[in-house]
Amino acid sequence: MIKWGLNNLGYDYEIAAIIGPQSSGKSTILNNAFGTNFAVMDPRERGRTTNGIWLSRDKTHNLLIMDVEGSDSGSRLDDQSFERKAAMFALACSRLLIVNMLEDQVGLYNGGNLGLLRIVFEEHIAMYGKLDKRQVERVYHRPKFLFLIQRLSGRTPLASLSRTVISGLDTVWDSIEKPEEIQDQRLQEYFTFHFESLPDFLHASEQYNSEVNSLRKRFVDKQSSDYLLKDADPNAISADGLDLYMQTIWGALRTNENLNLPGQHELLAQAMCERILTSLLEKYRPKFDAQSAILNEGKVIDDLGSLLRGWKSEILVLYDEEARRYLQSANTEKRYTLVDSCHSEAYKLFTSQLRNLRNSILASFDVVLEDAASKEDSEFDAITSEAKNRHEDAFALVATTTAIEDANWDWQDAFKELNSDLSHRIRASNKERKATEPLTASKDEWVESDKLIASKATLYRDGMLVVEVKVDNYDPFHGLRGRVLIVVRDKDGNAIGVTNELRSSTACGTFDPFCSSDRSDWFTLRFPRSVGRRAAVMDIYQRDGGSLGNVLKKFLEVAKIVVAVRA
């Protein structure tokens, strides 16, 4: 389809096929009528020219022409089933089937293609015989046949030849075993027949060309009263799905499966709608991924809901434009799948948005609690209650405006979790602000086998930190230079305060007569009141000489840590 520029035509194209005996001039007719370039027989030799089934396009119109290998050929003695398969393929894939025959073969069983047409009728009954007349009209448009009779003598009128053909077809129809539902129905209720004749190509070439041009108009001139393809086919195949449809039909015929055209239409519609669905999701995936990257940075996206609803609407509009070409049941089923897929992609962003929003609200609420901690009880209660309601309203607003209306996303659990977190923070903050007992920590550590540092830290709730550092040196020759660092953590284990390195006086070796080998130093520092109030535990780091700078640097990289200052 792409080769001929038909892939995007939708239903704006037609397809016709031709069957008939070998060497009856089928390819010649097609080439002259439609400007195709099918191989034709060398008049000096007799034998098969067209092998298999070939497809070409009309020279000016969106009309596909199928040239089917001739029937009743001696070269197919080893594969008699191919004629049946080829005829059924041509009927299943085309809007009109041209049956080419010679004038002197009309009325004969093989020469008149009656044996082949009998198979076509039987297959058709197997597919649609149990449908009543109204259902047949609705589910499957009656196949059209154009019997193209090549005149040899020209003495028998076309009307007479037509009656002979119809009589033979009626005889075949009556002899076919049919379901009880259609025993009394006529052949013409299931098929539409047209007739046309052409003069002999070799002996009346000028008249032949004139009548071939007239024949062509019946296929391409939609304004003509003789236009053959007037009625819309309710089961037409969109051009972009024709290749897949043909592959499926031939696959069934090649493996001798019974054709089920309604089923094939359903399968094709499902496959093509699935292809459209997948293509649209891939097209919009970068948009979803871009927003996901922003959310992974912890940000809250303004108007995310508008973006999600807009993308969903765009995707469904594009889907409806393309999928309307296919069977409604499959179209609708895949549309539901597409909606679910859109909701699934959007829900990932929705949950990330709520996660980031919750973290942002908790951080903002912690600032409120810190500011309110020094207030009187009544003012503390008023401030925290108002802030809690305000932050919960903000969460509900973003959740509501981000959600897609018909997706039925439940964000109430996330809201309840936020409510619980805020309430817990208020209780914990209230407990901390009322706490009066100072926090203490101590550590006795042999920093060398004969060098002892014993530190004791007391942190008062107003932020005052008092540290006593005692050093005892039992080394006879080397001094002890105590280095101490205090880290304050909250109840969650987060570092919220750190001191600079505290340096004690040097304790000399025991053989040094000029200074003491044991020392005791006191350090008084101050943290903000909030650190003293929130403190739950203190870590003490100690060493002999050198520096604790690497330890201090690690904690200084914590975003909100506070460094104590000398009191």
Side-chain angles (χ1 to χ4, degrees):
M1 299 305 104
I2 296 176
K3 171 184 176 182
W4 294 311
L6 301 178
N7 206 50
N8 296 319
L9 289 179
Y11 297 105
D12 188 22
Y13 78 100
E14 299 292 353
I15 180 168
I18 190 168
I19 63 172
Q22 175 187 307
S23 305
S24 61
K26 299 185 301 299
S27 299
T28 300
I29 293 171
L30 299 180
N31 290 344
N32 283 282
F34 305 109
T36 54
N37 193 30
F38 295 120
V40 297
M41 184 187 71
D42 186 337
R44 295 169 297 180
E45 300 180 7
R46 301 292 294 180
R48 179 180 305 285
T49 302
T50 301
N51 290 289
I53 302 171
W54 293 79
L55 196 66
S56 186
R57 180 187 176 177
D58 177 78
K59 56 188 176 183
T60 58
H61 287 68
N62 297 333
L63 174 63
L64 293 177
I65 304 297
M66 186 185 299
D67 190 8
V68 180
E69 177 181 308
S71 60
D72 199 21
S73 169
S75 62
R76 282 288 184 186
L77 292 177
D78 59 337
D79 186 11
Q80 293 292 305
S81 67
F82 181 81
E83 291 182 5
R84 165 192 166 272
K85 295 174 182 177
M88 288 306 303
F89 179 79
L91 181 65
C93 296
S94 63
R95 280 264 278 139
L96 183 142
L97 186 61
I98 304 170
V99 182
N100 187 50
M101 60 175 61
L102 301 177
E103 179 184 12
D104 60 356
Q105 299 295 304
V106 172
L108 301 181
Y109 189 78
N110 289 329
N113 295 291
L114 294 181
L116 194 57
L117 291 172
R118 178 189 181 93
I119 294 173
V120 170
F121 295 163
E122 288 175 338
E123 292 285 351
H124 181 81
I125 288 173
M127 289 186 288
Y128 298 100
K130 293 187 177 181
L131 301 179
D132 60 35
K133 182 178 179 181
R134 182 178 56 83
Q135 289 175 314
V136 168
E137 291 288 353
R138 178 173 57 84
V139 176
Y140 185 67
H141 198 63
R142 287 187 293 179
K144 296 176 183 290
F145 290 82
L146 172 64
F147 285 87
L148 187 56
I149 302 172
Q150 296 191 50
R151 304 190 300 271
L152 299 178
S153 66
R155 289 191 293 269
T156 306
L158 179 60
S160 177
L161 294 171
S162 302
R163 286 193 295 271
T164 302
V165 171
I166 290 295
S167 176
L169 295 176
D170 284 336
T171 300
V172 169
W173 177 258
D174 292 340
S175 68
I176 292 174
E177 184 176 345
K178 296 182 283 292
E180 184 177 348
E181 295 88 342
I182 63 169
Q183 280 290 345
D184 299 327
Q185 293 186 6
R186 298 170 56 248
L187 174 65
Q188 284 80 356
E189 294 182 59
Y190 280 85
F191 301 93
T192 299
F193 301 108
H194 300 276
F195 293 87
E196 186 64 84
S197 68
L198 288 175
D200 182 67
F201 172 68
L202 295 177
H203 299 97
S205 59
E206 186 174 337
Q207 185 180 1
Y208 177 90
N209 291 332
S210 175
E211 294 190 26
V212 160
N213 288 333
S214 297
L215 174 65
R216 170 181 168 76
K217 288 183 179 180
R218 298 192 67 181
F219 284 86
V220 300
D221 186 358
K222 296 182 180 181
Q223 306 305 317
S224 172
S225 59
D226 291 332
Y227 182 59
L228 290 167
L229 303 170
K230 291 179 182 178
D231 303 328
D233 184 351
N235 289 304
I237 304 300
S238 179
D240 58 346
L242 185 60
D243 56 345
L244 179 60
Y245 177 74
M246 286 183 169
Q247 291 173 28
T248 305
I249 293 296
W250 186 251
L253 290 168
R254 186 172 54 83
T255 55
N256 295 314
E257 297 178 22
N258 291 327
L259 272 189
N260 176 9
L261 290 187
Q264 298 297 346
H265 281 274
E266 177 76 24
L267 292 175
L268 173 68
Q270 290 181 356
M272 295 307 297
C273 289
E274 179 70 26
R275 184 183 294 180
I276 295 168
L277 178 158
T278 302
S279 174
L280 287 173
L281 290 177
E282 288 302 315
K283 177 181 178 180
Y284 275 78
R285 191 170 305 284
K287 296 179 182 289
F288 286 98
D289 290 345
Q291 300 306 308
S292 179
I294 295 173
L295 292 169
N296 287 339
E297 296 175 357
K299 299 177 181 178
V300 175
I301 301 174
D302 294 335
D303 296 327
L304 178 61
S306 297
L307 284 176
L308 298 180
R309 286 186 288 273
W311 293 343
K312 175 189 171 184
S313 177
E314 291 171 10
I315 289 172
L316 292 180
V317 167
L318 292 172
Y319 175 85
D320 290 339
E321 287 177 356
E322 295 190 49
R324 62 183 173 80
R325 308 169 184 172
Y326 301 103
L327 206 61
Q328 184 63 42
S329 58
N331 176 336
T332 302
E333 177 186 342
K334 292 300 180 181
R335 194 180 196 276
Y336 286 136
T337 302
L338 178 59
V339 169
D340 288 343
S341 297
C342 288
H343 287 173
S344 177
E345 290 294 327
Y347 187 68
K348 298 174 187 176
L349 302 182
F350 177 72
T351 54
S352 296
Q353 174 92 322
L354 294 191
R355 177 199 65 210
N356 294 349
L357 178 63
R358 175 179 176 275
N359 292 338
S360 174
I361 285 176
L362 292 178
S364 173
F365 196 68
D366 284 343
V367 173
V368 173
L369 292 176
E370 187 170 326
D371 292 341
S374 60
K375 307 296 183 182
E376 295 297 329
D377 287 353
S378 59
E379 190 174 0
F380 175 85
D381 292 342
I383 291 173
T384 55
S385 177
E386 184 278 332
K388 178 174 179 291
N389 291 335
R390 174 163 43 85
H391 283 83
E392 287 177 346
D393 289 345
F395 184 91
L397 177 62
V398 173
T400 302
T401 56
T402 304
I404 296 177
E405 288 77 3
D406 59 341
N408 297 319
W409 294 339
D410 183 9
W411 50 268
Q412 293 301 319
D413 287 343
F415 181 82
K416 291 176 182 177
E417 184 179 351
L418 175 67
N419 176 279
S420 176
D421 285 342
L422 295 178
S423 298
H424 174 74
R425 274 171 157 74
I426 291 174
R427 290 192 298 271
S429 177
N430 204 21
K431 181 178 179 180
E432 289 171 357
R433 61 190 286 274
K434 292 181 178 181
T436 57
E437 290 296 320
L439 179 67
T440 61
S442 60
K443 186 176 185 179
D444 295 350
E445 180 180 13
W446 291 93
V447 292
E448 298 286 350
S449 60
D450 46 9
K451 296 180 179 181
L452 174 66
I453 300 178
S455 300
K456 181 178 180 181
T458 302
L459 177 61
Y460 296 90
R461 294 303 174 178
D462 63 355
M464 181 70 72
L465 174 66
V466 178
V467 182
E468 180 186 10
V469 180
K470 295 179 65 177
V471 292
D472 288 304
N473 186 9
Y474 299 99
D475 187 314
F477 304 108
H478 304 95
L480 169 57
R481 299 169 182 81
R483 305 289 186 263
V484 178
L485 187 77
I486 310 295
V487 176
V488 182
R489 299 181 183 275
D490 64 13
K491 64 182 184 303
D492 296 322
N494 300 314
I496 57 175
V498 65
T499 67
N500 283 308
E501 185 178 82
L502 306 178
R503 298 191 172 201
S504 69
S505 302
T506 301
C508 298
T510 55
F511 286 179
D512 189 335
F514 299 104
C515 68
S516 174
S517 59
D518 60 273
R519 296 276 188 174
S520 182
D521 293 284
W522 291 82
F523 302 89
T524 303
L525 306 101
R526 178 168 291 281
F527 285 110
R529 180 185 180 89
S530 60
V531 174
R533 181 173 52 80
R534 295 168 56 200
V537 66
M538 288 187 288
D539 298 333
I540 300 176
Y541 295 84
Q542 303 175 143
R543 66 170 293 161
D544 173 27
S547 172
L548 290 168
N550 288 337
V551 178
L552 177 61
K553 180 180 179 182
K554 179 180 71 173
F555 287 104
L556 290 178
E557 291 174 353
V558 178
K560 295 184 178 181
I561 199 165
V562 177
V563 180
V565 297
R566 295 279 183 174

